[in-house]
């Protein structure tokens, strides 16, 4: 076990991670609302019928693919290793590859 203090991101690196979190969170909320609307009102909107998905299938794919792309886009600003599925709506506490804390040190 290492006795050295943990390493933190610089303020600029921290801003990169927070920007990714904002984009990820905003798109997730948009996609969730859009998916609910599409699924609940798909037959009224003429997108699907009881037996046929019609245009609903491609619309669902168009909403879900950006979630996957955003998730796979996150990289550790310190070592450039893909964080990927380790992150959910927010970046994890630490990078599994280099061990850096994925936030800036608080000066308080």
């Amino acid at each position: 076990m290492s006795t050295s203090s943990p390493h933190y991101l610089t303020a600029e690196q921290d801003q990169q991670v927070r920007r990714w979190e904002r984009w990820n969170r905003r798109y997730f909320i948009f996609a969730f609302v859009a998916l609910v609307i599409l699924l609940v009102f798909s037959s009224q909107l003429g997108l699907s019928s009881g037996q046929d998905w019609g245009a609903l299938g491609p619309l669902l794919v168009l909403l879900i693919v950006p979630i996957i792309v955003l998730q796979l886009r996150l990289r550790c600003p310190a070592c450039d290793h893909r964080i990927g599925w380790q992150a959910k709506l927010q970046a994890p506490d630490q990078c599994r590859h280099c061990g850096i804390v994925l936030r800036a040190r608080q000066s308080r």
Side-chain angles (χ1 to χ4, degrees):
M1 181 183 232
S2 176
T3 58
S4 65
S5 64
H7 298 281
Y8 292 84
L9 297 177
T10 65
E12 184 178 315
Q13 291 170 328
D14 185 61
Q15 287 176 352
Q16 287 178 316
V17 173
R18 299 308 140 231
R19 186 173 30 250
W20 175 87
E21 286 179 341
R22 282 190 305 275
W23 272 99
N24 197 36
R25 189 172 34 252
R26 287 175 184 160
Y27 185 77
F28 180 82
I29 291 168
F30 163 76
F32 181 78
V33 170
L35 283 169
V36 168
I37 290 169
L38 283 175
L39 293 174
V40 171
F41 299 108
S42 64
S43 61
Q44 288 88 352
L45 295 171
L47 298 174
S48 68
S49 66
Q51 293 87 21
D52 184 26
W53 280 64
L56 185 59
L59 285 174
L60 293 176
V61 170
L62 286 173
L63 283 171
I64 293 171
V65 166
I67 293 171
I68 296 167
V69 170
L70 273 170
Q71 199 67 39
L72 296 177
R73 223 177 137 196
L74 179 62
R75 292 179 172 269
C76 173
C79 70
D80 205 39
H81 185 77
R82 284 193 190 276
I83 293 174
W85 299 114
Q86 182 184 350
K88 302 301 179 219
L89 285 179
Q90 295 184 324
D93 293 334
Q94 285 186 297
C95 173
R96 286 185 185 164
H97 187 255
C98 70
I100 196 164
V101 177
L102 292 173
R103 60 180 148 68
R105 181 183 294 273
Q106 299 298 326
S107 59
R108 295 180 218 167

